[in-house]
């Protein structure tokens, strides 16, 4: 059944808004240049905090950027320009970096604040759509976040412009994550109350697979049998152990592909002839966030789990930590 005319019009309007906002974000790409890198270096080098300020919708977006930065290892606070002029400037020091957000660059309350911020000794960064504005002229680093048009049909309500600012804030946060080498364990410290934080704070023994769910064989097991177990348990790996159940080696799907390409895979050969010996592993009592850091550092998704005696007691898969499809390494 075809949508009613008014329904179709609503759908088309919504699609048009999304297209305009996507257009605004795409327009930022060619503006990410040396000034963006200078901004990242300046924020990384500061011994203080990033102070973010703006009025109205820009202020709301500024609060979101501050929250994202705080959760990913960069200390940031939001400072309301009006409240700043009535006492809140006491939270600003010369060690801080100041980020002012104004699409027009002519926000009166923000521009009245800038001279005082300069007097305190802060480096000043501007997110603005007008590089000739008063805000831009007073700033040390100017990041152009302007858009060609708003999605609002009246051209009045900030829509595409606020989306563009938020996207640039996310770009800044991710650049700082990489620059500071922010790790999963660091994320856990800042999110102790969330479901992810709780899982990362638990011990490996609490979430590992054990018993019949563990794909393991003796190290003298023929490859044909090892491959059957690898395929049946579908963890992408099979673990080899010695006669006393001590961890011996590991064979993964990737290993199998490489062996096939090299024409080295033989069903009658024992797994210890083709496996990776002395694989990476974790102890059952280790924190989950330590295991996740090992996985990320070595680009692997499965770790054998042992007791203090190095005897196999389980296996830990990335999906059991973060949920299927919820995580990729370095965004790749």
């Amino acid at each position: 059944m075809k949508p009613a005319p008014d329904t179709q019009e609503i759908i088309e309007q919504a699609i048009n808004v999304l297209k305009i906002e996507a257009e605004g974000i795409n327009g930022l790409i060619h503006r990410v240049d040396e000034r963006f890198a200078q901004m990242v270096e300046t924020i990384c080098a500061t011994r203080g905090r990033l102070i973010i300020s703006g009025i109205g919708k820009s202020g709301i977006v500024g609060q979101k950027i501050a929250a994202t930065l705080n959760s990913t290892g960069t200390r940031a606070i939001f400072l309301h320009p009006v409240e700043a002029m009535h006492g809140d400037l006491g939270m600003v020091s010369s060690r801080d970096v100041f980020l002012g957000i104004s699409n027009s660059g002519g926000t009166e309350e923000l521009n009245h604040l800038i001279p005082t911020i300069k007097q305190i000794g802060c480096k000043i960064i501007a997110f603005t759509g007008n590089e000739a504005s008063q805000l831009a002229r007073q700033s040390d680093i100017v990041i152009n976040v302007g858009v060609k048009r708003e999605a609002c049909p009246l051209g009045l309500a900030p829509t595409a412009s606020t989306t563009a600012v938020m996207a640039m804030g996310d770009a800044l946060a991710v650049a700082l994550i990489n620059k500071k080498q922010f790790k999963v364990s660091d994320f856990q410290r800042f999110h102790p109350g969330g479901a992810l934080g709780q899982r990362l704070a638990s011990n490996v023994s609490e979430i590992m697979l054990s018993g019949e769910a563990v794909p393991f064989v003796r190290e003298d097991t023929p490859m044909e049998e090892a491959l059957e177990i690898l395929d049946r348990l579908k963890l992408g790996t099979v673990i080899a152990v010695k006669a006393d159940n001590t961890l011996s080696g590991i064979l993964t799907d990737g290993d199998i592909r490489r062996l096939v390409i090299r024409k080295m895979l033989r069903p009658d050969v024992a797994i210890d002839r083709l496996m990776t010996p002395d694989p990476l592993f974790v102890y059952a009592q280790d924190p989950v966030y330590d295991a996740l850091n090992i996985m990320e550092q070595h680009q692997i998704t499965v770790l054998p789990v042992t007791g203090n005696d190095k005897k196999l007691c389980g296996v830990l898969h990335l999906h059991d930590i973060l949920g299927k499809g919820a995580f990729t390494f370095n965004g790749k």
Side-chain angles (χ1 to χ4, degrees):
M1 186 176 68
K2 291 184 178 180
D6 57 339
T7 302
Q8 185 61 41
E9 184 178 352
I10 291 170
I11 292 171
E12 289 175 357
Q13 288 171 348
I15 291 172
N16 189 52
V17 168
L18 296 177
K19 286 181 177 179
I20 292 172
E21 299 213 352
E23 173 188 285
I25 293 176
N26 284 331
L28 301 180
I29 294 173
H30 72 277
R31 301 184 204 150
V32 179
D33 53 20
E34 292 78 8
R35 291 180 298 179
F36 185 92
Q38 183 186 358
M39 172 177 62
V40 172
E41 295 289 352
T42 299
I43 295 171
C44 277
T46 184
R47 293 177 297 162
R49 299 170 295 186
L50 180 63
I51 311 293
I52 302 176
S53 190
I55 285 284
K57 306 298 189 297
S58 293
I60 294 170
V61 173
Q63 292 176 58
K64 185 272 178 188
I65 294 173
T68 300
L69 291 169
N70 277 316
S71 69
T72 52
T74 298
R75 292 189 302 148
I77 60 170
F78 178 78
L79 177 66
H80 193 286
V82 176
E83 298 298 332
M85 299 302 286
H86 292 274
D88 281 2
L89 268 173
M91 68 176 69
V92 182
S93 78
S94 60
R95 296 178 301 175
D96 298 326
V97 175
F98 184 88
L99 170 59
I101 302 173
S102 171
N103 184 46
S104 68
T107 303
E108 189 174 329
E109 298 90 343
L110 184 58
N111 285 326
H112 283 170
L113 176 62
I114 298 296
T116 307
I117 296 294
K118 292 178 75 75
Q119 194 173 39
I120 290 172
C122 298
K123 287 280 188 181
I124 298 176
I125 301 167
F127 275 12
T128 182
N130 184 359
E131 295 193 58
S133 64
Q134 184 179 349
L135 174 61
R137 292 195 304 270
Q138 296 185 94
S139 301
D140 299 295
I141 302 170
V142 178
I143 304 298
N144 188 337
V145 292
V147 297
K148 290 182 179 179
R149 54 178 174 159
E150 297 286 7
C152 169
L154 303 176
L156 299 174
T159 47
S161 58
T162 49
T163 301
V165 172
M166 191 173 297
M168 190 64 81
D170 288 341
L172 171 61
V174 172
L176 288 166
I177 287 173
N178 292 326
K179 180 70 176 177
K180 295 184 174 187
Q181 297 183 326
F182 189 80
K183 297 182 176 63
V184 174
S185 56
D186 300 318
F187 181 90
Q188 187 275 329
R189 289 205 313 274
F190 296 135
H191 299 75
L196 174 58
Q198 292 171 5
R199 288 200 301 275
L200 293 175
S202 61
N203 290 337
V204 168
S205 60
E206 297 177 53
I207 67 169
M208 71 183 187
L209 299 174
S210 58
E212 294 183 358
V214 181
F216 77 98
V217 295
R218 289 267 298 267
E219 61 183 358
D220 57 355
T221 301
M223 281 294 299
E224 184 175 18
E225 183 180 337
L227 290 175
E228 188 278 327
I229 291 175
L230 183 148
D231 179 66
R232 175 163 52 85
L233 295 183
K234 301 188 184 306
L235 285 180
T237 191
V238 61
I239 302 164
V241 296
K242 298 182 183 297
D244 63 354
N245 205 43
T246 300
L247 179 63
S248 176
I250 195 168
L251 189 75
T252 68
D253 282 341
D255 295 329
I256 300 299
R257 287 193 297 272
R258 286 184 285 273
L259 289 168
V260 170
I261 290 171
R262 297 171 187 169
K263 299 181 179 180
M264 295 174 59
L265 185 62
R266 290 175 50 194
D268 57 332
V269 173
I271 189 173
D272 64 351
R273 297 279 301 277
L274 301 173
M275 70 184 186
T276 300
D278 300 318
L280 294 166
F281 69 96
V282 288
Y283 293 110
Q285 71 272 20
D286 285 347
V288 172
Y289 60 76
D290 280 354
L292 190 52
N293 279 334
I294 292 173
M295 289 178 175
E296 184 172 14
Q297 180 182 353
H298 296 279
Q299 303 280 289
I300 56 178
T301 58
V302 179
L303 281 171
V305 183
T306 76
N308 290 331
D309 54 4
K310 277 200 70 175
K311 292 186 178 180
L312 185 70
C313 62
V315 62
L316 184 65
H317 196 286
L318 181 65
H319 292 164
D320 299 313
I321 301 175
L322 298 176
K324 191 169 184 178
F327 184 79
T328 56
F329 291 122
N330 300 324
K332 297 179 181 178

